Amino acid sequence: MSLPELSLKDPAEELKAKSYNETYVAMSANDVDCETGNFFSKTISANTTFTFSNPPASGTGFSFILHLIQDSTARTVTWPNSVDWASATAPTISTGNGDDDFFVFATSDGGTIWYGFTAGQAMA
């Protein structure tokens, strides 16, 4: 196994990668475990309450993508109370059979506050 090619301008300040990949996790449970990846997908087969666990310590930025796929019945999603949405209003997820919704979440305070963003809805 070879290591990725890296170019370090100043090892303490900058990392320039030739290639970057995110770890994809197809979720079976409803917990987004930040230690397992940063691109998650979940097919919603029931009304779902998400939890976010194991973010990095305060002072380290972390973000992830959550791809939701609606099944043949319209489902609802409940987000953790720590998510801060624009105008303090969580988005309504798409309800069509097979609809794909994408959300991005970011924190820098160990998950005390997660900033939530709608990246795209009803993509199917």
Side-chain angles (χ1 to χ4, degrees), residues 32-88:
V32 175
D33 183 347
C34 300
E35 288 186 347
T36 63
N38 51 358
F39 191 123
F40 298 87
S41 72
K42 172 76 175 174
T43 298
I44 305 297
S45 58
N47 293 337
T48 303
T49 299
F50 282 104
T51 56
F52 302 161
S53 65
N54 298 314
S58 185
T60 299
F62 182 81
S63 62
F64 67 88
I65 297 167
L66 179 59
H67 172 201
L68 298 183
I69 303 124
Q70 191 69 258
D71 73 357
S72 60
T73 301
R75 310 294 182 173
T76 62
V77 167
T78 301
W79 303 104
N81 289 333
S82 57
V83 177
D84 185 5
W85 297 99
S87 302

Side-chain angles (χ1 to χ4, degrees), residues 73-119:
T73 301
R75 310 294 182 173
T76 62
V77 167
T78 301
W79 303 104
N81 289 333
S82 57
V83 177
D84 185 5
W85 297 99
S87 302
T89 304
T92 301
I93 64 169
S94 300
T95 58
N97 183 13
D99 277 353
D100 294 279
D101 290 353
F102 289 84
F103 301 97
V104 176
F105 299 89
T107 187
S108 61
D109 61 7
T112 300
I113 298 172
W114 287 96
Y115 296 97
F117 305 89
T118 302

